Amino acid sequence: MARCFLCRSVGVFQLLRTQTPLSGTRFYSHTEPEPLTLRQQNNGIRRIILNNPKKRNALSLSMLESLRENLLTDVDSDDLRVVIISARGPVFSSGHDLKELTSAQGREYHTRVFHICSEVMTLIQDIPVPVIAMVNGVATAAGCQLVASCDVAVATEQSTFATPGVNVGLFCSTPAVAIGRAVPRKVAMEMLLTGSPLSAHNALLHGLISKVVPEDRLEEETLLIAQRICQASRPVVALGKATFQRQMSQGRDAAYATASRVMVDNLALRDGQEGIRAFIEKRKPVWSNKAEKAHD
């Protein structure tokens, strides 16, 4: 398809050279602060950049609302195939802004912060396209939760991951939801109880991230993954992602029942049949990228 042609044909460095300038999600004048997040999209790949390095990209209420907007904008468009979340500065994200969590803000405000945070984390897993975390630096507390919530995570060798809330009197209970589903229970509990950081290589060993790369290869390696996702049929990827998320909360037998039903549904898709025909005919598939059925 035309919309994915460049994803298949151009190299990573050519893609980088042709990207358009980053734009913020809010209009602002020269006297106003820069937007908290930046969004840019080319060739099916949406880049969302946390853009508040002076505050260690803290997930303030405003930052979370901006991130939610970035995720939801045109999320059902056929032109969107994958999302990459990264950050400016040496800290990917330090987690919640503790200044928003004082008694002065009050219980209602605190409830709103954690409600929006939970909404953003579940959105990452529920939207129909894969979300990749591209991490270069420190990811702590809700920042670590953000990484754990993504479908794929690529990190540099110097990156670290921690849930240090216990050390400031605030146990990382909400980060534990995502982290506890990404790493073994005892690893998660050690992180939560001690606040001790995991190195990138230990994070990879325990399943918190997908890949560790040198800093000078982070952009290239992440975009290669994104480009490979662009080569697949959008409805097939969306169906597969949704099924996988559902299976993770099911027992073995229920998961197999779900997977079997979805495999049959996948075969009924026009793109499902096109992929099989292309394999048999030894050619590249030509995706419709539409959730159209080939048969009932």
Side-chain angles (χ1 to χ4, degrees), residues 38-257:
L38 301 171
R39 187 184 75 243
Q40 171 258 343
Q41 185 169 324
N42 277 293
N43 306 317
I45 302 172
R46 176 174 297 176
R47 303 288 300 269
I48 300 174
I49 301 177
L50 308 183
N51 188 45
N52 195 12
K54 290 182 179 180
K55 291 193 174 182
R56 297 166 62 86
N57 292 311
L59 296 179
S60 63
L61 181 60
S62 295
M63 174 77 89
L64 288 166
E65 289 173 340
S66 185
L67 184 54
R68 178 179 62 180
E69 179 185 339
N70 279 238
L71 289 166
L72 287 175
T73 299
D74 297 326
V75 70
D76 292 320
S77 169
D78 291 341
D79 293 327
L80 178 62
R81 311 302 298 281
V82 62
V83 174
I84 298 173
I85 299 177
S86 61
R88 285 186 167 168
V91 177
F92 177 78
S93 175
S94 59
H96 290 293
D97 185 346
L98 294 183
K99 292 181 179 179
E100 292 189 340
L101 304 182
T102 63
S103 295
Q105 297 293 340
R107 187 179 186 89
E108 184 176 342
Y109 187 89
H110 298 164
T111 299
R112 185 180 174 199
V113 168
F114 289 106
H115 174 77
I116 294 295
C117 182
S118 297
E119 183 180 350
V120 168
M121 301 301 168
T122 54
L123 266 176
I124 287 170
Q125 297 185 334
D126 291 346
I127 63 173
V129 297
V131 181
I132 304 172
M134 187 173 82
V135 185
N136 184 23
V138 178
T140 61
C144 188
Q145 178 186 3
L146 179 59
V147 175
S149 298
C150 290
D151 301 300
V152 178
V154 184
T156 57
E157 295 166 324
Q158 66 267 33
S159 296
T160 58
F161 306 84
T163 51
V166 67
N167 297 323
V168 297
L170 183 64
F171 196 84
C172 287
S173 296
T174 46
V177 175
I179 295 167
R181 285 163 170 73
V183 306
R185 180 180 180 274
K186 289 180 173 61
V187 174
M189 285 303 296
E190 182 179 351
M191 292 178 68
L192 293 162
L193 292 169
T194 68
S196 300
L198 282 182
S199 67
H201 286 288
N202 281 335
L204 175 64
L205 175 67
H206 296 306
L208 182 61
I209 61 176
S210 315
K211 182 178 286 191
V212 178
V213 298
E215 184 175 4
D216 61 358
R217 290 184 58 82
L218 178 62
E219 190 95 5
E220 178 182 0
E221 292 290 339
T222 306
L223 283 171
L224 280 173
I225 294 171
Q227 286 181 312
R228 292 188 185 112
I229 293 171
C230 285
Q231 293 174 8
S233 163
R234 188 184 194 277
V236 171
V237 169
L239 182 63
K241 176 179 174 176
T243 303
F244 183 79
Q245 296 293 347
R246 189 158 62 250
Q247 288 172 318
M248 291 300 97
S249 63
Q250 294 178 318
R252 182 195 63 187
D253 293 347
Y256 270 120

Side-chain angles (χ1 to χ4, degrees), residues 249-267:
S249 63
Q250 294 178 318
R252 182 195 63 187
D253 293 347
Y256 270 120
T258 296
S260 297
R261 184 170 61 254
V262 171
M263 290 287 282
V264 172
D265 291 341
N266 194 158
L267 285 170

